[in-house]
């Protein structure tokens, strides 16, 4: 029965990840793979949130640190730090997060509109707030974020 609900059009599958104690969710269909954080090659004169680039099987992939991008302070990289490799608008981009939790399905009635957040995150990239049991997820429109004006710099780095 639950499998039938998952296949209906009203549910959305999300990859959940953590940043600075908060839990976020993004569309699982945008995720190419998940990797442990490894050394990156720094590129001069890039914004602080771009940690550098990696060579992923012949593709040069810019690595964005989401903690810096969301103004959540400096990140300490450890064995739990992961890079979510995204395929967004035909581009491959790596996103550093504190950790990946799981994949969940949310129905439309579990998603609430996003309130104003102040300076923690620009709400134009927030699709809403998802609730699962006692958990609250900040649902990020990752394609809108990664293709935003700020991220146009990513495209110039990767070329």
């Amino acid at each position: 029965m639950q499998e039938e609900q998952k296949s209906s059009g009203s549910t959305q599958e999300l990859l959940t990840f953590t940043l600075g104690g908060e839990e976020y969710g993004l569309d699982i269909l945008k995720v190419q793979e998940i990797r442990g954080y490894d050394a990156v090659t720094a590129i001069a004169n890039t914004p602080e949130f771009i940690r550098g680039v990696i060579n992923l099987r012949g593709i040069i992939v810019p690595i964005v640190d989401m903690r810096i991008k969301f103004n959540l302070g400096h990140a300490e990289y450890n064995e739990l730090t992961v890079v979510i490799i995204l395929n967004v608008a035909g581009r491959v981009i790596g996103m550093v997060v504190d950790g990946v939790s799981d994949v969940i399905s949310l129905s439309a009635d579990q998603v609430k509109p996003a309130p104003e957040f102040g300076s923690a995150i620009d709400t134009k990239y927030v699709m809403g707030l998802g609730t699962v049991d006692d958990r609250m997820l900040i649902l990020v429109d990752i394609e809108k974020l990664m293709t935003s004006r700020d991220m146009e710099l990513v495209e110039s780095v990767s070329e």
Side-chain angles (χ1 to χ4, degrees):
M1 288 264 193
Q2 287 183 337
E3 293 301 319
E4 290 175 18
Q5 286 180 329
K6 286 181 181 178
S7 65
S8 73
S10 63
T11 60
Q12 183 178 13
E13 293 218 344
L14 303 163
L15 175 69
T16 62
F17 60 94
T18 55
L19 278 175
E22 299 297 330
E23 198 168 16
Y24 296 80
L26 63 87
D27 184 354
I28 191 74
L29 297 177
K30 305 294 181 195
V31 177
Q32 180 174 313
E33 65 183 85
I34 299 168
R35 306 169 49 94
Y37 183 80
D38 203 359
V40 299
T41 301
I43 305 291
N45 296 322
T46 57
E48 185 181 3
F49 60 86
I50 298 177
R51 303 302 299 169
V53 296
I54 62 170
N55 184 346
L56 181 67
R57 296 180 291 277
I59 300 171
I60 303 301
V61 178
I63 303 297
V64 176
D65 189 318
M66 297 308 289
R67 185 182 285 239
I68 296 171
K69 177 66 184 158
F70 287 168
N71 295 319
L72 296 174
H74 182 73
E76 292 292 327
Y77 299 128
N78 60 33
E79 66 278 353
L80 299 176
T81 304
V82 296
V83 177
I84 302 172
I85 304 294
L86 303 166
N87 198 327
V88 178
R91 287 183 265 171
V92 180
I93 300 168
M95 180 174 95
V96 179
V97 299
D98 293 344
V100 172
S101 304
D102 54 8
V103 176
I104 61 165
S105 294
L106 284 183
S107 62
D109 64 334
Q110 291 175 294
V111 178
K112 307 295 182 221
E116 295 297 321
F117 282 106
S119 63
I121 182 171
D122 192 341
T123 57
K124 64 186 174 187
Y125 307 123
V126 176
M127 298 185 306
L129 297 176
T131 54
V132 179
D133 301 324
D134 293 336
R135 297 164 55 193
M136 182 170 290
L137 303 172
I138 301 169
L139 307 180
V140 179
D141 185 340
I142 201 68
E143 184 155 334
K144 192 172 186 180
L145 174 63
M146 291 297 177
T147 60
S148 69
R149 189 166 174 237
D150 290 350
M151 297 297 180
E152 286 182 30
L153 294 169
V154 172
E155 186 173 10
S156 65
V157 168
S158 64
E159 291 180 351

